[in-house]
Amino acid sequence: MTTGKDRIPVGLARLIVVAIPVLLIGLISLAGFFGRWWWVLDLATSFRPQFAAALLAGGAVLLLRSWPRLGWVILALGVINLAYVAPLFWGKQDIPAASPTMRVVSFNVQGQNEQYEQVIEFLTEVDADVVFLHEANRLWEEAFSEALAGGRLAYLQHRSRPDHLIFSTLTLTRGPPREVVSHGWAEREARAMEVVVGLGETSVTVLGIHPLAPTNSRRAALRDAQFEFVADWVRMARGPTVVVGDFNATPWSHVFRPLTGAGLRNSQRGFGLAPSFPVDGSFLTRVPIDHLLHSSHLAVSDRWLGPDLGSDHFPLVVDMALVAS
């Protein structure tokens, strides 16, 4: 028989309800630092903004309720996560007047999405110089071929999908590119499309990528190998360079470090989180996995997400200026 003396006080019970979940969140956030060795832990890094918010709030509650030791530990874990997120909110670059500019769009259209007309209208409005449409299948290729033939879009279309694949990345360029190279779109290939375009008198090399989604250990290993290709490509690149696409990774994933370590800058810097996936998600589930990284020859003047166009991703639009040839 339980007596009144055996019952846990209501205040203590409420604290336990707070303390256990936030402590678990803190441990998961720390485990994310070991994502290089286990793909499941790397997925945990996707939610660093959510972890930071939950840990800072939970730590404050514990401090106010006279649990100082645990409260300070939880707050410290929150600050660690915040330290990885906060730099995305500052660091906009100065752009000299009269710098040549270009606009790049990256959009995972989602193969089964049939909102062809809405996407065509959106691209007409944004008037980009280079467009990468990921997961474009034959129906998407045909829709754009008709729009281009009818004069509704002023682009050249560069198909990278071999006939034996269901979809790949469809590339559009404003004018004739100086070079186009497909690096393969099968599961075990690089899944990357390289185009060299002119920006003023300078050539800019743009690599559109769509690594595999890390939904299991095999696909995660293939995704990591595809990022190894990208990192090697970046180290070999010369002059203004851009890597853009559906990365299937957030900025806190271990696959990002070799790219930034090779000298690329995340275009999110100064523009915040801009979580692009999933469209029907909320603050608790939406994460930024659509990215553009660039060399120091370029600076970002603007960056935003487009509207819901029937995909599970929002389109990414980035304006860049040439600051060094």
Side-chain angles (χ1 to χ4, degrees):
M1 179 176 178
T2 301
T3 66
K5 292 182 180 180
D6 296 324
R7 294 173 184 168
I8 300 175
V10 173
L12 179 60
R14 288 175 178 172
L15 279 179
I16 292 174
V17 168
V18 173
I20 292 176
V22 293
L23 184 59
L24 181 60
I25 290 171
L27 293 174
I28 293 172
S29 75
L30 289 179
F33 289 109
F34 300 93
R36 179 186 299 276
W37 293 278
W38 189 29
W39 66 278
V40 174
L41 298 182
D42 189 56
L43 293 180
T45 65
S46 302
F47 300 97
R48 292 224 179 272
Q50 293 90 332
F51 291 160
L55 292 167
L56 292 173
V61 169
L62 293 174
L63 284 177
L64 291 173
R65 294 295 182 176
S66 301
W67 281 31
R69 292 182 181 177
L70 183 57
W72 285 117
V73 169
I74 298 300
L75 279 178
L77 293 174
V79 170
I80 290 172
N81 282 275
L82 184 62
Y84 282 85
V85 176
L88 299 180
F89 290 87
W90 62 74
K92 285 187 180 180
Q93 297 169 281
D94 295 327
I95 298 175
S99 299
T101 62
M102 66 182 296
R103 175 171 289 177
V104 178
V105 169
S106 174
F107 182 33
N108 185 330
V109 297
Q110 194 178 33
Q112 64 268 34
N113 177 19
E114 297 181 351
Q115 293 192 18
Y116 312 113
E117 290 302 314
Q118 291 88 334
V119 173
I120 289 170
E121 289 175 8
F122 170 73
L123 292 178
T124 301
E125 292 172 3
V126 298
D127 194 30
D129 298 287
V130 183
V131 179
F132 293 97
L133 301 173
H134 312 288
E135 289 194 19
N137 56 24
R138 178 181 56 81
L139 296 176
W140 279 96
E141 293 168 3
E142 291 175 353
F144 273 88
S145 293
E146 292 177 6
L148 295 170
R152 298 177 57 198
L153 287 172
Y155 287 105
L156 294 177
Q157 181 174 236
H158 311 284
R159 169 185 160 179
S160 62
R161 182 183 63 87
D163 289 336
H164 68 281
L165 294 181
I166 297 174
F167 56 73
S168 64
T169 291
L170 181 65
T171 305
L172 308 175
T173 57
R174 173 65 61 196
R178 299 178 180 179
E179 188 175 359
V180 178
V181 179
S182 175
H183 294 283
W185 290 92
E187 269 196 346
R188 296 183 178 276
E189 295 181 310
R191 292 170 62 90
M193 185 73 164
E194 177 181 345
V195 295
V196 180
V197 296
L199 183 55
E201 300 299 319
T202 304
S203 292
V204 178
T205 306
V206 186
L207 189 71
I209 68 171
H210 185 199
L212 290 174
T215 54
N216 56 45
S217 59
R218 182 185 67 85
R219 289 173 63 89
L222 289 171
R223 182 205 65 167
D224 292 356
Q226 287 155 357
F227 272 103
E228 289 176 8
F229 165 84
V230 177
D232 291 339
W233 182 90
V234 171
R235 284 188 283 267
M236 295 289 291
R238 296 293 180 269
T241 304
V242 174
V243 177
V244 62
D246 172 4
F247 281 32
N248 277 313
T250 64
W252 311 289
S253 169
H254 73 90
V255 298
F256 242 74
R257 296 171 204 155
L259 303 186
T260 54
L264 294 186
R265 177 185 173 92
N266 186 353
S267 65
Q268 283 178 277
R269 292 288 303 274
F271 294 92
L273 293 175
S276 58
F277 172 87
V279 166
D280 60 355
S282 65
F283 168 78
L284 295 177
T285 59
R286 193 175 291 165
V287 294
I289 63 173
D290 295 274
H291 302 286
L292 183 147
L293 281 68
H294 60 91
S295 65
S296 59
H297 307 84
L298 301 160
V300 175
S301 58
D302 204 1
R303 184 188 196 278
W304 73 94
L305 297 178
D308 178 359
L309 295 172
S311 172
D312 52 356
H313 291 248
F314 290 109
L316 172 64
V317 184
V318 182
D319 289 336
M320 291 179 294
L322 184 67
V323 294
S325 58

